[in-house]
Amino acid sequence: MRRYMVTYAWQLLKKELGLYQFATDIIVMIRVCKMFRQGLRGFREYQIIESAHWKHPIFSFWDKKMQSRVTFDTMDFIAEEGHFPPKAIQIMQKKPSWRTEDEIQAVCNILQVLDSYRNYAEPLQLLLAKVMRFERFGRRRVIIKKGQKGNSFYFIYLGTVAITNDEDGSSAFLDPHPKLLQKGSCFGETDILHASLRRSTIVCMEETEFLVVDREDFFANKLDQEVQKDAQYRFEFFRKMDLFASWSDEKLWQLVNMSKIERFSYGQLISKDFGESSFIMFISKGSCEVLRLLDLGASPSYHRWVWQHLELIDDRPLKTHLREYSPMERFKEFQIKSYPLQDFSSLKLLHLKKAWGLQGTSFSRKIGTSGDTLPKMLGPKIQSRPVQSIKCAMINTKFGELPKEAAVGAYMKVHTVEQGEILGLHQAFLPEGECDTRPLILMSLGNELIRIRKEIFYELIDNDDEMIKKLLKLNIAFPSDEDMCQKFLQENSWNIFRKDLLRLLVEPRQSPPFPPIRPKKKEIYNPKSVVLDLCSINKTTKPRYPIFMAPQKYLPPLRIVQAIKAPRYKIQELLPQYKSAGVLI
């Protein structure tokens, strides 16, 4: 009986254990499903990133103004390189009214990496950070479809999108050169303001992250008022220009609505080639420079200049270099080289005896031989003209051979664009044969400009003869590459002469007998990196400093230099009055 009860109890316990195990499996499955759902949401909204090991992830400091300790957790804004930080995504998941001022300011600081966002005024930047939401879409996802009503506008934080004219965006993947927008760009602002239909289709070329502003939040938080202030500023700028003096306010507002303000800091690149840009730029504040990447090896002046200085590489006296051989001497040298290897010294001595006998001179005098006189043995080893052999790699140019290291380029300033001037229209109405097709770079000196697409501007000035006459007067003739090369060489020669003269006149400071040993600092920029040294062109040692290369259109990269250090005469030979260092006679 007891044995039967034990067996029954064991079976019952086994059933209960099975039930318990079954319940445990259900709970585990529920937790797994919950984690899976959270994971899917994470992949949709932000990338799950493994936290890196930080020695001090949290730090704090004492705020004297607030009289309290401020703590900052660096792990809150850790993200995979290039992706939007997870902490900022959590802030954007909140409703705009629930976001605190500190959270809005934190998001605003993160978005400063976007050029299009930074172009807005500071009050509008804070309002945009308040209403933005985060979205991520995969490749081939259509963001905007042509013909639909605009309800949102987008900032690209990561990835690339293409602009097409079809509805599904498939032509972007077939076109070898599609119109692309990348990180920092924005689109859809004009459509959301005027509730107009989309004029193009936007499709993702890869996985792309967006910051989206919806139409409802845009007007609910009064962003349209701030945008209207910027539009009024652009209208007043255009109205003051003589170019648009004859336009009505209605037509000028059409130009304003299609334009956009962009701000650039000092030294920031505006356009790699503004001649091929699809925009017209009006400089509203500040100034900018037009630069030209000059290939010095393609200039005959540079070719002559290099070889003239390489002849001085053996440091011969000044008179030797200034002397030029006459045509008769060159012909004699050619004749000598063309003869076979024979001894003509007896013929030469016989000829000299006869000549001196006629002049009444004695043969016992010493004969001073030089490089121009006939030597004892004539052959390939004898040269009447000293030649310096330069052993280095050569390249062939249309002007002859040139050392490979001397094939460099330089950026030259072509023109300075001031406030009120226009770029992009200087050759718009010239014949194709007269247009300057050279790539010209636009570099900011700290300026603000207003952009508008060329096709939109051409539609506005269509059949406006008065406007076309004004635009024809804006044609700017830029100097040729040869003129800029000669200017570069003149400036380079003057700078080298000035340094040599200062080094000669200024007595060097006496260094202490035992100068202190100072550790060398690791520098990112080395002045030798942008100087071409022709004096060491024969040396086989490789430089230990980086070399800057600039890409060229349809051509290999070109080394960039700011100066050329070439073999030259000693300044005491050029200016005998400067006899010694520190002494001026």
Side-chain angles (χ1 to χ4, degrees), residues 12 31 67 117 200 213 330 373 529 577:
L12 184 63
R31 291 180 179 177
Q67 289 297 314
Y117 179 82
S200 301
V213 178
R330 291 198 299 268
T373 59
S529 301
Q577 62 267 34

Side-chain angles (χ1 to χ4, degrees), residues 408-577:
V408 296
Y411 285 105
M412 292 292 294
K413 185 177 75 171
V414 180
H415 181 64
T416 302
V417 187
E418 301 293 344
Q419 179 178 348
E421 295 188 26
I422 308 172
L423 286 172
L425 289 174
H426 62 289
Q427 294 182 355
F429 302 97
L430 291 179
E432 293 184 1
E434 299 180 7
C435 291
D436 190 354
T437 58
R438 296 176 296 172
L440 299 173
I441 304 167
L442 192 62
M443 185 70 66
S444 170
L445 298 179
N447 72 305
E448 175 189 272
L449 57 85
I450 301 176
R451 285 183 188 258
I452 183 172
R453 288 195 170 274
K454 287 183 178 180
E455 57 267 20
I456 296 175
F457 186 78
Y458 292 155
E459 290 178 2
L460 292 174
I461 65 173
D462 191 21
N463 299 325
D464 192 344
D465 297 335
E466 183 179 356
M467 173 64 69
I468 295 175
K469 289 180 181 179
K470 293 180 180 179
L471 293 176
L472 287 173
K473 298 179 181 179
L474 300 177
N475 184 27
I476 303 174
F478 296 136
S480 64
D481 289 354
E482 180 65 19
D483 294 339
M484 288 188 287
C485 180
Q486 293 179 6
K487 182 181 178 182
F488 173 82
L489 295 176
Q490 290 175 1
E491 293 177 354
N492 182 77
S493 300
W494 162 247
N495 291 331
I496 291 176
F497 174 78
R498 182 180 58 183
K499 290 179 182 179
D500 291 345
L501 185 61
L502 289 176
R503 194 179 297 112
L504 179 67
L505 296 180
V506 179
E507 185 176 1
R509 294 179 297 177
Q510 295 182 357
S511 58
F514 300 101
I517 300 176
R518 299 177 181 177
K520 293 184 178 181
K521 297 182 179 180
K522 292 184 179 180
E523 299 178 350
I524 300 176
Y525 170 75
N526 192 330
K528 295 181 180 179
S529 301
V530 290
V531 177
L532 174 62
D533 190 2
L534 293 179
C535 301
S536 60
I537 200 168
N538 278 336
K539 297 180 181 179
T540 57
T541 57
K542 295 182 179 180
R544 298 182 179 180
Y545 45 82
I547 294 176
F548 297 101
M549 307 294 288
Q552 298 186 95
K553 191 173 182 181
Y554 309 123
L555 292 173
L558 191 65
R559 182 189 171 183
I560 299 301
V561 297
Q562 292 180 351
I564 302 176
K565 182 181 178 183
R568 54 196 180 277
Y569 303 124
K570 292 182 179 180
I571 200 167
Q572 289 89 342
E573 297 180 5
L574 295 175
L575 301 175
Q577 62 267 34

Side-chain angles (χ1 to χ4, degrees), residues 51 118-119 128 218 238 246 280 311 334 341 364 411 441 546:
S51 300
R118 197 170 57 247
N119 290 329
L128 288 171
F218 185 86
F238 287 134
S246 60
I280 297 170
E311 289 180 358
F334 170 76
L341 183 60
S364 61
Y411 285 105
I441 304 167

